[in-house]
Amino acid sequence: MSPLQLLDAGAALQVTLAGEVHRFHAIWLRDNAQDAQTRGPGHGQRLITLRDIPPETHIAEAAWSEAGLHLRFEPEGKRVTFDPAWLLARAYDAPSPQTPGWTAEAITRWDSRLADHLPVEDFHAVAQDKAARRRWLRAIARYGFARLTGVPTTDGAPTEVARLFGYVRETNYGRVFDVRAEVNPNNLAYTNLGLQAHTDDPYRDQAPGLQMLACLANTVQGGDSLLIDGFMVAERLRQQSPQGFALLARHCARFEYTGTAGVRLRAKRPMIELGPDGELIAIRFNNRAAAAFTDVPYEDMAAYYAAYRQMAELIEDPALAVTFKLEPGELFIVDNLRVLHGRLPITSSGQRWLQGCYADRDSLLSTLAALEEEAA
Ligand code: FE2
């Protein structure tokens, strides 16, 4: 058994797990005890509050046995046993990441080279086969998007896709929304415009975490979908201009939608959202929905706009984008807090009918975690 060492008169424990030395605080260990008096069997919820644990809690005894790591906490006289694998998976004694904008290991940033191996699955396979569903959800978690083929071309199709992992998020645009282009030679000039890549609805609290866009009909030429990894854009910006990156992360932008009677959606959020530990949480970029920025100090506004412009230029960089044409029966899903979507110009007459719906990330990640646990 690996050596155990009490530190600071039992305020912490040093333990070697799988060859790595880790320190754990007594208060952390006691709070995370897995016994039936601390955690409810079945639901796994904590049954005690922090006030039930004396502030002077320390480890009085530590020993290994076949069952795991035994600890005795005083002054409670509480004995608990830890599974070393459980502890190793939750070890926190590691240097914190220094570079702002870091992402978890489950995320892979990408650029145009992803075009050679775009994540794609078949609707019926995903609906019927748990392994295919797991693969599909894992790709969305990793790349922030995936394509789906074999999707019904009936009204409401995207909601059937949302049901495979979670729940539709209804908004003022409805349960589903239509993106229609009826293009004839007379009005071609007005409807064939491309659409700059953006994230949807940054004026909501919170912006939808997922968007599904299904193609129900498409007889036009052009109008290809374009996707860009906003996390890659943020990383490029940070490399080119750490100050610009910091400005877009530090100051909030404002977004709003007031285009419908009775709807006044407004949100104050940064374009690059970082957690307090520098983790990249979300990207918001939507030229059409940007309101006047009023939260950037006068001294920083010029540099803020320069960084905003730099970000916009990266978003136009073809080396970062993937494009593909959605045919009827195809759908893509994007992580709307990460991946930007846009549309190339439509170059012929015809009909194009896309239908979208929103959902949230938590249900997708929950379904993925449950499927992975089941398969382990
Ligand atoms: Fe959009």
Side-chain angles (χ1 to χ4, degrees):
M1 288 296 175
S2 60
L4 296 167
Q5 192 182 342
L6 293 181
L7 307 173
D8 301 333
L13 172 75
Q14 182 168 293
V15 53
T16 305
L17 300 167
E20 298 169 14
V21 176
H22 289 280
R23 293 170 298 172
F24 295 91
H25 291 89
I27 185 66
W28 186 96
L29 290 162
R30 175 62 191 92
D31 191 37
N32 288 295
Q34 299 295 301
D35 63 291
Q37 285 72 46
T38 308
R39 287 268 173 188
H43 56 71
Q45 300 215 310
R46 187 182 275 103
L47 302 173
I48 63 168
T49 72
L50 200 49
R51 294 185 65 195
D52 297 316
I53 305 174
E56 64 274 28
T57 288
H58 60 279
I59 303 161
E61 196 185 326
W64 287 108
S65 84
E66 295 281 295
L69 174 62
H70 297 288
L71 300 177
R72 177 165 57 86
F73 295 95
E74 293 297 349
E76 282 182 277
K78 174 85 179 170
R79 290 176 185 276
V80 300
T81 304
F82 280 100
D83 172 357
W86 187 97
L87 273 181
L88 182 60
R90 290 157 183 82
Y92 60 90
D93 188 9
S96 36
Q98 292 303 306
T99 311
W102 60 273
T103 54
E105 272 175 28
I107 286 172
T108 301
R109 301 184 215 227
W110 49 267
D111 58 22
S112 62
R113 288 169 294 180
L114 189 68
D116 301 333
H117 50 277
L118 292 180
V120 59
E121 294 290 339
D122 174 73
F123 174 76
H124 294 283
V126 162
Q128 282 150 24
D129 173 22
K130 283 185 178 178
R133 197 178 317 165
R134 209 165 56 231
R135 216 165 43 226
W136 176 56
L137 298 179
R138 202 186 295 132
I140 300 164
R142 178 162 296 285
Y143 300 108
F145 93 99
R147 291 175 72 188
L148 204 56
T149 57
V151 177
T153 51
T154 45
D155 196 6
T159 67
E160 290 181 44
V161 174
R163 217 175 290 137
L164 297 175
F165 62 82
Y167 311 92
V168 172
R169 175 155 160 201
E170 193 167 344
T171 71
N172 54 299
Y173 301 131
R175 270 178 72 74
V176 296
F177 47 88
D178 291 306
V179 186
R180 282 177 189 270
E182 298 283 348
V183 192
N184 64 55
N186 295 330
N187 66 10
L188 192 63
Y190 300 104
T191 54
N192 71 347
L193 300 173
L195 203 50
Q196 188 191 34
H198 58 279
T199 60
D200 265 19
D201 298 24
Y203 38 75
R204 295 185 194 283
D205 177 23
Q206 169 77 284
L210 296 167
Q211 177 182 183
M212 278 143 282
L213 209 50
C215 179
L216 304 187
N218 195 355
T219 60
V220 301
Q221 277 155 19
D224 294 18
S225 300
L226 175 147
L227 300 179
I228 293 174
D229 184 0
F231 281 9
M232 180 61 103
V233 168
E235 178 57 15
R236 290 287 170 86
L237 178 64
R238 193 189 62 78
Q239 288 165 358
Q240 290 176 6
S241 167
Q243 303 87 336
F245 174 92
L247 280 169
L248 295 185
R250 188 186 316 135
H251 299 302
C252 280
R254 297 253 177 174
F255 300 98
E256 71 178 12
Y257 175 80
T258 58
T260 308
V263 179
R264 294 291 180 267
L265 287 161
R266 295 189 175 102
K268 171 188 165 187
R269 289 285 190 285
M271 293 197 210
I272 298 174
E273 183 179 351
L274 302 179
D277 56 0
E279 182 177 9
L280 185 50
I281 304 288
I283 296 295
R284 295 178 188 81
F285 187 92
N286 189 320
N287 180 58
R288 287 168 297 151
F293 306 144
T294 52
D295 304 279
V296 182
Y298 179 86
E299 299 71 39
D300 288 339
M301 188 61 90
Y304 184 89
Y305 259 94
Y308 181 24
R309 180 186 296 275
Q310 215 168 344
M311 187 176 183
E313 277 164 6
L314 284 165
I315 280 163
E316 301 288 342
D317 183 352
L320 295 187
V322 300
T323 58
F324 52 87
K325 185 163 185 177
L326 272 188
E327 301 292 351
E330 293 182 350
L331 167 148
F332 71 76
I333 177 167
V334 283
D335 178 337
N336 185 55
L337 295 169
R338 168 181 173 186
V339 173
L340 297 83
H341 61 281
R343 188 189 72 200
L344 299 182
I346 295 170
T347 54
S348 79
S349 59
Q351 189 207 22
R352 183 177 184 267
W353 179 18
L354 304 188
Q355 192 172 69
C357 81
Y358 296 125
D360 287 309
R361 291 203 292 207
D362 57 355
S363 57
L364 186 148
L365 295 174
S366 164
T367 303
L368 173 60
L371 286 170
E372 289 193 324
E373 211 171 284
E374 198 180 303

